[in-house]
Amino acid sequence: MSHFTPFHIAIPVSNLEKCRLFYRDILGCEEGRSSNHWVDFNFFGHQLVIHYKPKENTSSLATNPVDGKDVPIPHFGVVLPWDVFHTFAEDLKHKNIKFVIEPYIRFEGLAGEQATMFFYDPSGNALEFKAFKDMSQLFAK
């Protein structure tokens, strides 16, 4: 499939205002429609909706090992152009984002070589941003 269409994802957040500021001011996403229970964002051309959900007392942070790192599960994010990824990573460092996995090159010299980084939003949703110098490697085996 060569034609990409925007995805829609709705995620729970325990503090609507903190997450609104995070996605708008830290990640630079344009805010769309909203109510006192949810906010739409233009998430790099896709539709992300944050929905208020009271925080649950149980914490079930899970990870899977990938390339020697503990990758948070579940997570979501966007594949960015190579140069945009590196500019975005530098911007996040200047905004003092606490990375779970600092920006680095994964699978270096192998199929699927990519730049990647992981961090959490204020409600504990894990995000991954990645980039490929060669986009044909996106689904490489």
Side-chain angles (χ1 to χ4, degrees), residues 63-71 100-101 104-107 118:
T63 62
N64 275 337
V66 180
D67 194 36
K69 310 264 191 222
D70 292 325
V71 170
V100 175
I101 297 175
Y104 84 109
I105 306 301
R106 176 193 286 166
F107 309 134
F118 287 83

Side-chain angles (χ1 to χ4, degrees), residues 22-23 27 61-63 70-75 97-101 118-128:
F22 175 82
Y23 285 97
L27 299 189
L61 295 178
T63 62
D70 292 325
V71 170
I73 302 298
H75 64 263
I97 283 293
K98 183 181 176 204
F99 292 99
V100 175
I101 297 175
F118 287 83
F119 52 90
Y120 290 103
D121 76 7
S123 285
N125 295 297
L127 290 94
E128 176 185 19

Side-chain angles (χ1 to χ4, degrees), residues 4 6 12 18 20 25-27 35 55-57 66 73 81 86 92 107 110:
F4 287 98
K18 269 189 182 176
R20 168 184 254 149
D25 299 345
I26 302 297
L27 299 189
S35 81
K55 188 174 180 102
E56 296 175 3
N57 290 332
V66 180
I73 302 298
H86 293 285
L92 293 175
F107 309 134
L110 304 172

Side-chain angles (χ1 to χ4, degrees), residues 25-132:
D25 299 345
I26 302 297
L27 299 189
C29 299
E30 182 182 341
E31 189 175 318
R33 295 177 301 276
S34 66
S35 81
N36 56 350
H37 296 289
W38 55 268
V39 183
D40 278 348
F41 288 100
N42 177 344
F43 186 71
F44 301 85
H46 303 280
Q47 186 186 47
L48 168 69
V49 187
I50 59 173
H51 282 272
Y52 174 72
K53 180 182 176 191
K55 188 174 180 102
E56 296 175 3
N57 290 332
T58 58
S59 175
S60 59
L61 295 178
T63 62
N64 275 337
V66 180
D67 194 36
K69 310 264 191 222
D70 292 325
V71 170
I73 302 298
H75 64 263
F76 71 97
V78 176
V79 178
L80 299 171
W82 189 260
D83 294 340
V84 172
F85 173 92
H86 293 285
T87 302
F88 185 51
E90 286 304 312
D91 183 53
L92 293 175
K93 288 176 187 176
H94 292 304
K95 291 177 177 173
N96 297 314
I97 283 293
K98 183 181 176 204
F99 292 99
V100 175
I101 297 175
E102 296 267 343
Y104 84 109
I105 306 301
R106 176 193 286 166
F107 309 134
E108 197 161 3
L110 304 172
E113 180 176 330
Q114 60 195 258
T116 186
M117 62 180 151
F118 287 83
F119 52 90
Y120 290 103
D121 76 7
S123 285
N125 295 297
L127 290 94
E128 176 185 19
F129 288 89
K130 59 172 59 180
F132 295 81

